Amino acid sequence: MRRREQGDADRVLTLCTPLGKIDVLAKGARKLRSRKAGHIELFTHSSFVLSRVPNYWDIISQAETVEPHATLRDDLLRGAYARYAVELLDRFFTSGEGEQALFDLLNHTLTWLCEDDDLDLAIRFYEQHLLGLAGFRPELRACVGEHADRDRRVLLRPHEPTEEENRPYGFDPERGGALCRDCYTRRNSRHKIASLSPNGLWFLQECQRGPYTRLRAQQTLLSLHEEVERVMQHYITHHLEQRSSASAFLKRLKRMNKAQNQRSL
Ligand SMILES: [Zn+2]
C-alpha cells in the first residue's frame, strides 16, 4: 500500500494482509538489482515469508508475485483510483487492524480497477464496504432524523412509485446516514446536510446490498456517479476530518480527461 525509505538500502512497506495492516522491512530493496523489487511494487498482490524480529519490523525473507495488477502502475487514471482506494484503507485502519474480509475487498477492487470500464462503480462499492468494516457504515435503509415516535423506524424506499417523485432525500454526515423527505425539508439551516435524489439514494443502497457482479450489469447507474461521489466525499471528509489527497488528485485528473474528450468531439 505504501513505502518509505529506511537507511541507505532498505524500505519499510505497509502491507494489507489477511491478518491486518502491517509494516515490514524489505532489506536491500533499493539496490538496483534486488531480486525482490518486482514482487514488492505498489498494488501488487504477493505472497511473503516474513522473519519475526522482536522489537523491530518483521523482515521479508521471501516474496513472490501472485497478481501484479500492472495496469494500475501503467495507466494514470486507473492508478489514481487505486491510490484513492489504498489511501482510504490506510486512513480508516491503523497498524494491526483489519481482517481477511478487508484484504479480500481491496484485492477484488484492485482487480476491478484493472479490468472494468466503470471505475466509479467499483470505487463506490468499495467505499460502502470499507466503511462497513471500519464501523462507519452509513445508515441508508431508515431515516436518521428525529421523528415523534422514536421507536418506529421510518424506512426509506426510494424506488417505490410515489406522487412526490421529485422531492429529494437528504444525507446527514453527523447523524451518519440518510434522511427521509420530510426530515430533509425540515432541515432548518444545517448546512452540512446534502440533498440526495431518489435514484442516488437507491444507488447507495444497492452498493451496500451487493454483490458487485449484480451491480455491474445495471447500466442505469452511470448517470448518478457525480451526485453520489459528492455525497460520499462529504461523508468521508467529515469522518477523516480532512480531505483525501488522492481523491483531490483523482478529481483533477477526471476533469482534465473530460475537457480533453469534449475538445476531441
Ligand atoms: Zn425522517
Side-chain angles (χ1 to χ4, degrees):
M1 291 167 57
R2 186 158 50 82
R3 64 190 190 188
R4 61 178 193 272
E5 321 229 309
Q6 173 68 26
D8 289 336
D10 305 340
R11 279 197 171 119
V12 175
L13 311 180
T14 302
L15 309 178
C16 172
T17 81
L19 301 174
K21 180 178 130 179
I22 54 170
D23 283 350
V24 298
L25 190 69
K27 282 190 106 37
R30 288 164 63 198
K31 289 188 190 137
L32 268 177
R33 264 185 288 232
S34 163
R35 276 183 301 122
K36 294 191 200 87
H39 305 293
I40 59 173
E41 291 269 17
L42 190 62
F43 309 135
T44 300
H45 175 197
S46 295
S47 170
F48 293 104
V49 176
L50 302 176
S51 312
R52 294 241 114 138
V53 185
N55 303 317
Y56 198 60
W57 293 286
D58 293 344
I59 294 175
I60 297 177
S61 50
Q62 285 176 49
E64 197 178 337
T65 302
V66 177
E67 172 55 57
H69 296 134
T71 314
L72 302 178
R73 292 184 299 279
D74 299 341
D75 182 313
L76 187 63
L77 185 65
R78 288 177 188 271
Y81 276 88
R83 272 174 201 279
Y84 171 67
V86 161
E87 187 193 333
L88 219 52
L89 194 156
D90 208 11
R91 303 268 294 268
F92 273 102
F93 292 84
T94 59
S95 214
E97 284 184 338
E99 54 192 290
Q100 178 80 44
L102 182 65
F103 171 80
D104 291 340
L105 176 66
L106 180 65
N107 197 27
H108 286 139
T109 302
L110 294 180
T111 304
W112 299 330
L113 292 177
C114 279
E115 296 171 356
D116 284 9
D117 294 329
D118 190 352
L119 305 180
D120 286 303
L121 175 63
I123 216 73
R124 295 288 92 76
F125 180 86
Y126 172 78
E127 278 171 352
Q128 286 305 320
H129 293 270
L130 181 96
L131 288 167
L133 291 168
F136 291 100
R137 186 179 198 264
E139 173 59 72
L140 301 171
R141 305 248 150 234
C143 176
V144 297
E146 272 175 41
H147 288 260
D149 180 359
R150 284 168 190 242
D151 293 333
R152 194 171 69 91
R153 273 162 60 89
V154 176
L155 294 177
L156 306 174
R157 299 192 181 94
H159 252 49
E160 277 180 6
T162 113
E163 283 175 10
E164 21 175 41
E165 240 160 56
N166 295 321
R167 271 181 76 201
Y169 292 85
F171 191 92
D172 185 345
E174 250 164 52
R175 287 175 182 269
L179 295 171
C180 68
R181 291 170 156 127
D182 291 340
C183 285
Y184 179 62
T185 312
R186 267 203 319 269
R187 69 194 181 280
N188 302 326
S189 56
R190 292 179 58 196
H191 65 280
K192 282 194 165 173
I193 296 175
S195 95
L196 189 55
S197 71
N199 281 338
L201 175 58
W202 168 77
F203 179 7
L204 287 174
Q205 289 181 342
E206 288 289 278
C207 284
Q208 280 190 349
R209 188 184 308 145
Y212 180 72
T213 44
R214 188 179 61 85
L215 295 180
R216 197 158 41 178
Q218 300 188 21
Q219 294 298 320
T220 49
L221 301 174
L222 276 171
S223 61
L224 301 169
H225 282 328
E226 233 167 88
E227 175 195 1
V228 172
E229 177 183 359
R230 179 176 49 75
V231 170
M232 286 317 297
Q233 283 306 308
H234 188 47
Y235 181 70
I236 287 167
T237 308
H238 174 80
H239 282 293
L240 293 178
E241 291 171 350
Q242 69 187 106
R243 273 193 72 185
S244 136
S245 57
S247 112
F249 175 69
L250 178 59
K251 214 167 174 176
R252 273 204 306 280
L253 199 63
K254 284 204 285 190
R255 233 188 350 248
M256 271 160 53
N257 274 10
K258 203 170 167 186
Q260 226 159 35
N261 288 341
Q262 275 165 353
R263 265 202 299 279
S264 61
L265 286 175

